[in-house]
Amino acid sequence: MVSEREASHARVFERRMRELGAERRAGATAEGEHLKAYLSGAHHNDAEKLAEFVRVTGDPAAVLDPIRGFAERLAEDLDTREALRLFIDAEDSTLKWAQNARSALGSVSKN
C-alpha cells in the first residue's frame, strides 16, 4: 500500500513538473537507495525493516513542516499547492503509522 502511494505521488509531481515546463534533474539519494535495498532484502525480518524505516524517516513534523511551509507560500499555483497538501497528509499518515507499529512491535517483543 505504501509503495503504491509513493509511486502515485511520484506520478503526480512528475506530471505537474511537465505541465509547468520543468524537467526532473534529481534522482534517488544514497540514503533512499540504502532504504530501498534494506526494505526489499531478505536478510531482515519485518520488525527490523520497520525499525529501519522509522530511523531513516525520522520525526514526521521535522520532515513535513518545511514542505508544508513551502505549500502555504504558493499563492498562485493552486494545483501544486493542493498536490503538496495531499502529499503531506499521506506522508504524515504513513510516518505516524510506521512509528505506532514500531512501538507496538517493540512492546510485544518485550512481553
Side-chain angles (χ1 to χ4, degrees), residues 9-72:
H9 294 317
R11 289 189 300 271
V12 166
F13 288 116
E14 189 169 352
R15 183 178 58 242
R16 187 67 191 130
M17 288 176 62
R18 277 195 312 272
E19 290 169 356
L20 294 170
E23 65 181 57
R24 184 176 142 201
R25 291 189 252 167
T29 64
E31 188 171 47
E33 289 296 332
H34 159 77
L35 184 60
K36 181 179 173 181
Y38 190 96
L39 297 178
S40 63
H43 302 291
H44 305 283
N45 65 40
D46 289 346
E48 292 169 327
K49 291 177 181 183
L50 191 55
E52 181 66 0
F53 178 81
V54 169
R55 184 193 71 75
V56 169
T57 56
D59 175 43
V63 172
L64 298 173
D65 283 351
I67 302 168
R68 186 175 286 112
F70 174 71
E72 289 171 0

Side-chain angles (χ1 to χ4, degrees), residues 71-83:
E72 289 171 0
R73 291 190 301 275
L74 293 174
E76 295 182 26
D77 187 353
L78 302 180
D79 290 339
T80 301
R81 183 173 68 188
E82 188 58 25

Side-chain angles (χ1 to χ4, degrees), residues 85-106:
R85 285 180 176 167
L86 292 170
F87 168 79
I88 291 163
D89 289 345
E91 293 303 301
D92 189 51
S93 173
T94 297
L95 296 174
K96 287 178 180 173
W97 169 84
Q99 288 181 337
N100 291 335
R102 175 64 186 118
S103 293
L105 284 174

